[in-house]
Amino acid sequence: MSEDETPLGHELKQLIALQGPISVEAFMAVCLGHPRHGYYMTRDPLGAGGDFVTAPEISQMFGELLGLWAAETWRLMGAPVAINLVELGPGRGTLMADAVRVARVVPGFREAISIHLVETSPVLRARQEATLADAGEVAWHASVDTLPDGPAIILANEFFDALPVRQFLRTDQGWHERLVGLNDAGELTFGIAAAPSPEITTEGPVGALLEVPRAGLAVAGEIAQRLIAQGGALLAIDYGHMRSGFGDTLQAVRAHRFVDVLATPGEADLTTHVDFALIGKVGRLAGAAQHGPMTQGEFLTALGINERAAVLKRKLVGREADAIDHALARLVEGGPGGRARIEAANENGTAAPEGMGQLFKVIALADPALPLLPGFTARIAPGV
Ligand code: SAH
């Protein structure tokens, strides 16, 4: 093992030397989920001392508004006496703790919910258990497959971006899967499969790069089917685009900086931008109604984040009041989006640009029997 090589990098090089190149999808899955060296398996990556900061860690207002969203959605469902409140990839458990605390103000909601967390990381499970110590009973699941039957409200913040995607490069012969192999010096390098993949039938110009979020779409489709059969809604928030397009969005972040995707396997966070149009389409094809997508800034504003900030500030002065204004601006205001975000961020050396309000989008998939859900301005019926 050379000096600057990570343990997982070493293992991957040996594997590729033996078996040949692996897909970008497999590379991403191994880097994030390898049982011993996978990024999420070994650490709590969140917060100022970690690799990146998420909305619930910026301010309690985020989880509180999502808690009120869940309670209002429950009311629109006819206030069932028992409902599963589920979170996918709950990080430190902060969002759920803030949501449950504030949702106590809605009569009957706290008594109706059972909390279920879908989490693969043992480190983060322990963290969630500590955060939610006072929240009552909590059940953990390794995947959505083992969630109990019944109506469900499912929250997912920065979950879909962490699921592995396939990438394809268009040549005049078709779409070739993008691979990770070894160069002459024995270092990890990108390449493409010699033969095109006939199952990819998307139209696109030569040179285009297509991302196929197979794992994320499988989860969205499975959840949509469950929601139409058993009632409820999924609310997903992530960075990404409202319309499908071409381009490589795979990125690696370490200590709040963008780093080379192949340089430190298992020690940098790997994500892609989420294709909200595709999630909506998969949901509608499964029979769910689509609400949104819209920007996080518009959504939180519609849910009343300005009013909530004003209430929190009432008893505060000076620095503490300024901190609320700062958090509000980060959650709601825009910054450079997409690729531009990466380049701008690299210039000043940080991967946490101020405004999340524009780059982050919000979508819901829901039981088609439900009306327009809180915060949203548009609803698309299933099938179309
Ligand atoms: N939602 C949190 C954390 C986002 S980080 C927040 O906003 O702060 C991504 C989260 O998804 C982590 O908790 C990570 O461990 C979890 N995760 C990643 N891949 C997963 C998978 N395949 N199944 C379940 N959880 C996963």
Side-chain angles (χ1 to χ4, degrees):
M1 205 172 120
S2 67
E3 250 172 55
D4 53 356
E5 193 175 54
T6 65
L8 187 57
H10 184 72
E11 222 172 271
L12 276 167
K13 286 177 198 171
Q14 287 188 320
L15 176 92
I16 293 169
L18 271 169
Q19 302 185 354
I22 60 173
S23 66
V24 164
E25 184 188 46
F27 176 78
M28 208 176 156
V30 169
C31 287
L32 295 177
H34 185 282
R36 254 177 318 122
H37 303 305
Y39 178 75
Y40 280 113
M41 297 302 127
T42 52
R43 76 199 69 219
D44 170 3
L46 292 149
D51 292 318
F52 58 93
V53 177
T54 57
E57 302 300 330
I58 290 175
S59 168
Q60 70 188 73
M61 295 186 285
F62 188 80
E64 289 173 346
L65 291 171
L66 265 52
L68 293 173
W69 183 92
E72 177 60 10
T73 298
W74 168 75
R75 212 186 52 76
L76 292 170
M77 290 166 68
V81 291
I83 186 165
N84 298 310
L85 182 61
V86 180
E87 190 178 351
L88 311 180
R92 291 179 166 175
T94 310
L95 192 169
M96 185 59 89
D98 292 336
V100 169
R101 188 184 60 250
V102 77
R104 284 182 211 276
V105 303
V106 179
F109 182 65
R110 185 64 191 91
E111 295 70 37
I113 58 174
S114 320
I115 302 174
H116 293 272
L117 305 180
V118 177
E119 177 59 71
T120 42
S121 162
V123 182
L124 289 172
R125 274 192 191 201
R127 187 79 202 230
Q128 291 151 20
E129 199 173 348
T131 309
L132 291 165
D134 299 328
E137 212 176 305
V138 177
W140 277 267
H141 304 264
S143 81
V144 294
D145 301 336
T146 56
L147 290 171
D149 283 343
I153 294 175
I154 304 175
L155 307 173
N157 187 60
E158 292 213 39
F159 169 73
F160 283 96
D161 68 38
L163 301 181
V165 306
R166 299 178 81 183
Q167 288 188 327
F168 296 89
L169 187 74
R170 178 84 202 190
T171 71
D172 48 17
Q173 288 158 42
W175 291 102
H176 300 249
E177 183 140 24
R178 197 164 182 229
L179 307 174
V180 176
L182 299 177
N183 64 16
D184 292 342
E187 296 299 326
L188 296 174
T189 187
F190 285 112
I192 58 168
S197 300
E199 76 272 21
I200 308 294
T201 52
T202 308
E203 295 287 327
V206 168
L209 191 131
L210 176 71
E211 292 182 340
V212 179
R214 173 157 66 173
L217 296 182
V219 172
E222 197 176 321
I223 287 176
Q225 278 173 15
R226 155 189 190 114
L227 296 174
I228 56 171
Q230 305 180 45
L234 161 73
L235 183 72
I237 305 179
D238 231 305
Y239 46 96
H241 32 276
M242 300 217 210
R243 278 193 222 127
S244 302
F246 297 116
D248 173 16
T249 73
L250 179 61
Q251 64 185 43
V253 166
R254 195 175 178 187
H256 307 271
R257 286 163 187 273
F258 289 100
V259 295
D260 187 313
V261 168
L262 300 178
T264 52
E267 285 175 20
D269 184 35
L270 295 185
T271 59
T272 59
H273 284 205
V274 172
D275 185 336
F276 283 84
L278 262 184
I279 289 191
K281 191 169 165 187
V282 162
R284 294 198 314 274
L285 286 174
Q290 172 187 336
H291 303 247
M294 64 196 292
T295 65
Q296 172 174 301
E298 287 167 330
F299 183 72
L300 294 178
T301 302
L303 292 183
I305 195 167
N306 289 305
E307 294 75 4
R308 182 71 187 129
V311 169
L312 287 174
K313 271 172 65 181
R314 218 174 273 159
K315 293 199 191 85
L316 303 173
V317 285
R319 283 236 297 271
E320 285 181 320
D322 291 346
I324 303 236
D325 283 334
H326 185 66
L328 174 68
R330 265 186 97 171
L331 292 176
V332 170
E333 283 173 17
R339 275 273 145 208
R341 171 180 181 252
I342 296 177
E343 278 144 27
N346 272 335
E347 252 166 52
N348 59 23
T350 166
E354 283 301 281
M356 304 170 83
Q358 296 283 328
L359 179 60
F360 280 71
K361 313 293 188 301
V362 185
I363 194 171
L365 302 178
D367 177 351
L370 289 175
L372 186 66
L373 295 173
F376 289 102
T377 50
R379 178 183 179 281
I380 310 177
V384 290

